[in-house]
Amino acid sequence: MKYPLWIALAMAGLLGLLGSVYVVREDQVGLVLNLGRVARTDIGPGLHLKWPLVETARVFDRRFSLVDFSPERYLTSERKDVAVDFVAIGYIDDVRAFYRATGGDEIAAADRLAPIIKDSLRNEINARTLTQLVSGDRSEVIAKQLEGINRGAITLGMRIVDIRLKQIDLPTDSDVIKQVYDRMRAERKQVASALRAEGEEQARTVRAQADRDQAVIVAEAERDAQRLRGEGDAQAARLYAQAANADPSFYAFYRSLEAYRAAFADGQGVIVLDQDDPFLQYMKNDR
């Protein structure tokens, strides 16, 4: 069955129309090639036309993109080996230069961008010690080299806005790790010794204060005891005096009995006295 000629012409026209239309989204930029040569660039968002079969349209994402690189080994100013893992954040700034330099291949762009960034970072890392690199402000390392990196990236039609150092490792095939661990152990021991010394000093201070407090408490207790004993002795003396004044003869008799009891308390006491000695008067007579 043969189709009318107008149907064939209509289909050819439709195919031609479809081949001559392309769309660029808001986050893209377009480029048109005429027989493989760049004809138009920086084509903005929208619906655009091109010559079918003769022209080819390419669109590229102009949003920020993350370019990941393999870890690179560097030497610090102390000649210590470190492995730095980083990523670059950038975007296509000049689509014509990007296409001419990379053919529109993002992998090729990353491969050509890698040595530019790595060489720039090497200058900064080589000027820093391991401690400065690990504990310092990493953004400062990047800020000093970002301008130089963009001078190289502009030849690829790209602009780098930031580089993030993801991780800084010590290579496992070097003795740097052992040196770092030894230094960390020495620092921990130093801190522990300082803490022990501080604790011993505080303990001595506490013990000295406790000894002083004890001496003060004992002295105050002894003072109070002596005062109480003095008051008790004074009160006893007053009672004895009152008793003596009330009945002198009974008081003398009572005191003599107390003396006898003290003298013969153990039952073995021997006293040699004259028979007329006053000490024996109550043994002869109770008056």
Side-chain angles (χ1 to χ4, degrees):
M1 180 179 179
K2 295 183 179 179
Y3 292 98
L5 180 61
W6 67 269
I7 295 179
L9 293 176
M11 293 182 63
L14 180 61
L15 292 175
L17 179 63
L18 293 176
S20 64
V21 175
Y22 65 97
V23 177
V24 179
R25 299 198 309 266
E26 286 290 338
D27 55 358
Q28 294 177 332
V29 60
L31 176 145
V32 175
L33 303 174
N34 189 321
L35 298 178
R37 300 177 62 181
V38 178
R40 300 186 298 279
T41 61
D42 296 326
I43 300 173
L47 182 66
H48 303 278
L49 299 175
K50 63 181 179 61
W51 292 107
L53 302 179
V54 178
E55 293 184 335
T56 304
R58 298 284 302 273
V59 292
F60 300 96
D61 194 338
R62 68 184 312 165
R63 293 175 298 178
F64 289 124
S65 60
L66 197 67
V67 184
D68 200 354
F69 301 97
S70 60
E72 184 73 7
R73 297 180 67 166
Y74 298 97
L75 289 177
T76 64
S77 61
E78 309 158 294
R79 310 301 298 173
K80 291 182 178 178
D81 196 8
V82 294
V84 180
D85 191 8
F86 61 91
V87 295
I89 302 174
Y91 63 95
I92 298 175
D93 185 53
D94 186 345
V95 67
R96 181 190 294 268
F98 178 78
Y99 182 81
R100 286 180 174 176
T102 66
D105 188 349
E106 294 182 356
I107 297 177
D111 291 340
R112 296 189 59 180
L113 191 62
I116 297 174
I117 297 176
K118 291 179 179 180
D119 290 343
S120 297
L121 291 180
R122 179 173 288 106
N123 298 330
E124 192 66 27
I125 293 174
N126 289 349
R128 295 174 179 266
T129 65
L130 179 61
T131 302
Q132 292 172 339
L133 185 62
V134 173
S135 61
D137 186 0
R138 299 186 183 184
S139 60
E140 183 181 353
V141 177
I142 303 304
K144 291 184 177 181
Q145 299 298 324
L146 197 57
E147 183 178 353
I149 291 173
N150 275 317
R151 283 198 295 269
I154 198 173
T155 61
L156 303 176
M158 298 186 65
R159 177 169 293 277
I160 304 301
V161 296
D162 195 10
I163 297 175
R164 299 293 177 89
L165 301 183
K166 296 195 300 182
Q167 193 169 358
I168 299 175
D169 290 326
L170 300 174
T172 57
D173 57 348
S174 68
D175 61 347
V176 178
I177 294 180
K178 181 178 181 300
Q179 295 176 4
V180 171
Y181 286 160
D182 291 343
R183 183 164 58 251
M184 291 174 63
R185 280 192 290 267
E187 291 176 353
R188 293 299 94 193
K189 289 180 179 178
Q190 183 177 2
V191 172
S193 298
L195 291 176
R196 279 194 295 268
E198 183 178 353
E200 291 175 358
E201 181 180 358
Q202 292 179 356
R204 287 194 297 269
T205 302
V206 171
R207 283 194 294 267
Q209 183 64 39
D211 292 340
R212 286 194 296 269
D213 293 344
Q214 180 187 11
V216 171
I217 292 172
V218 171
E220 292 177 350
E222 183 64 26
R223 180 199 61 196
D224 295 340
Q226 291 178 358
R227 178 175 55 79
L228 293 174
R229 281 195 295 269
E231 293 176 354
D233 292 342
Q235 187 175 2
R238 285 194 301 271
L239 293 176
Y240 286 143
Q242 291 174 3
N245 292 332
D247 192 346
S249 60
F250 175 78
Y251 180 75
F253 175 72
Y254 175 77
R255 294 292 292 175
S256 296
L257 291 180
E258 290 291 329
Y260 295 157
R261 184 181 294 110
F264 301 107
D266 56 357
Q268 298 179 358
V270 177
I271 300 176
V272 180
L273 296 172
D274 188 75
Q275 62 179 354
D276 296 328
D277 191 281
F279 184 71
L280 302 176
Q281 63 177 341
Y282 289 103
M283 291 186 178
K284 296 178 181 180
N285 189 356
D286 59 355
R287 295 183 181 280

